[in-house]
Amino acid sequence: MSEHLIWMDLDTGVDDTAALCCAASLENRGLITIAGASAVCGNTTREHAFANTRNVLGMLGKEHIPVYPGAEKPLLAELHTAAHVHGENGLGNVVLPESPAPAESIMAWDALYRCAVEAEGRLELILTGPHTNAAIAFKKYPDLKKYLKRILIMGGAEVGGNITPAAEFNIYADPEAAEVVFKSGVHVVMCGLDVTEKGILYPEEIREIEQGETVGCRLFRDTTQHCRAWYKSMGIGGLHIHDVNPVLYTVYPELYTAEEAGVFVETRGYITRGKTVSDRDTDVKFGVKNATVVLDVDRVRFKDLFIELLQETIK
Ligand code: RIB
Ligand code: CA
């Protein structure tokens, strides 16, 4: 049995797809086992996220991994997707072959809880979308916290934001859900914008990936076209692959610099709603260090590993 048993909850999404490719290769290396996956609304609708997750796993030869449907809307907030970045279908409008696996109908929170109980505390939960599914699971099953080893997220930021000046998309999309996760009692590893924007891929690195003939390289080449045009229009000279970070951190934390801190979510502020507030630099601490705030990455080792993992996916 591998050292890491993971569950991936995604709003699949272009960089969620890259994260799935990395996870598939890490599983093939024997370093992780993917126990299950679930889909949530966020970058795209739940319907697209569910289909995309199933189809990407199918293309990677991982159709045996069960994928469960989750929330179609945030707990309280209105649903706003990010079609301007990820395309209407979440994958830059690229249509993938349908997964041969029968579609699961059990809801994400029920399946996650069952898996966590069976794993007896070994399960690591990776969230690369809004936290709605996880929050529903914690509310429905108050003892879930006993069964999760840790939660690793792409989300938040110690400094700044992308969807507003103060908030990162995944947290802003459902701040009430993120608040439940940070208050759950399970330790959170927060790969926020502070680190995910540092792991940028430059054009020559993108070209290297595009030359690969594996499923991962082809998926990357095709699904990133739409968002690369958006990044260019924003004056960003490369591509951020945010969601890859919590997956790589799980196995290779030595690539990263991180600090323990208390982190909670602003749910009320009218210009700061969705901000992750961390107490690293203040005099008055929160009194609890519920999170590992990931702040920096060795970019060269990160992109080398990312390219290797895409090149290791099946043909
Ligand atoms: O904030 C970065 C966004 O891009 C998030 O939605 C993240 O999950 C990625 O898809
Ligand atoms: Ca995502």
Side-chain angles (χ1 to χ4, degrees), residues 10-16 43 86 127-130 154 169-170 243:
L10 320 104
D11 59 342
T12 316
V14 173
D15 54 332
D16 307 75
N43 291 159
H86 296 266
L127 307 178
T128 63
M154 185 286 130
F169 177 88
N170 285 347
D243 292 341

Side-chain angles (χ1 to χ4, degrees), residues 162-239:
N162 56 1
I163 188 78
T164 75
E168 180 279 330
F169 177 88
N170 285 347
I171 307 298
Y172 183 80
D174 196 344
E176 283 75 19
E179 186 188 33
V180 171
V181 166
F182 278 98
K183 287 185 172 170
S184 67
V186 181
H187 194 80
V188 178
V189 176
M190 179 174 106
C191 299
L193 295 173
D194 317 287
V195 65
T196 65
E197 290 185 347
K198 289 181 182 140
I200 190 167
L201 291 182
Y202 290 118
E204 65 275 17
E205 295 154 1
I206 294 171
R207 278 195 292 278
E208 183 182 347
I209 298 169
E210 287 183 319
Q211 282 157 16
E213 285 169 9
T214 60
V215 166
C217 292
R218 283 190 276 119
L219 270 171
F220 179 88
R221 182 192 62 210
D222 297 344
T223 63
T224 59
Q225 297 290 341
H226 182 277
C227 73
R228 273 150 65 183
W230 177 79
Y231 272 86
K232 204 169 174 189
S233 75
M234 297 298 288
I236 300 169
L239 180 66

Side-chain angles (χ1 to χ4, degrees), residues 71 98 105 137 235:
E98 292 236 343
S105 56

Side-chain angles (χ1 to χ4, degrees), residues 39-42 45-46 69-74 107-109 132-133 136:
V40 66
C41 59
T45 60
R46 195 294 306 271
E72 291 179 315
K73 55 185 181 55
M107 295 310 288
W109 34 90
T132 322
N133 289 346
I136 294 172

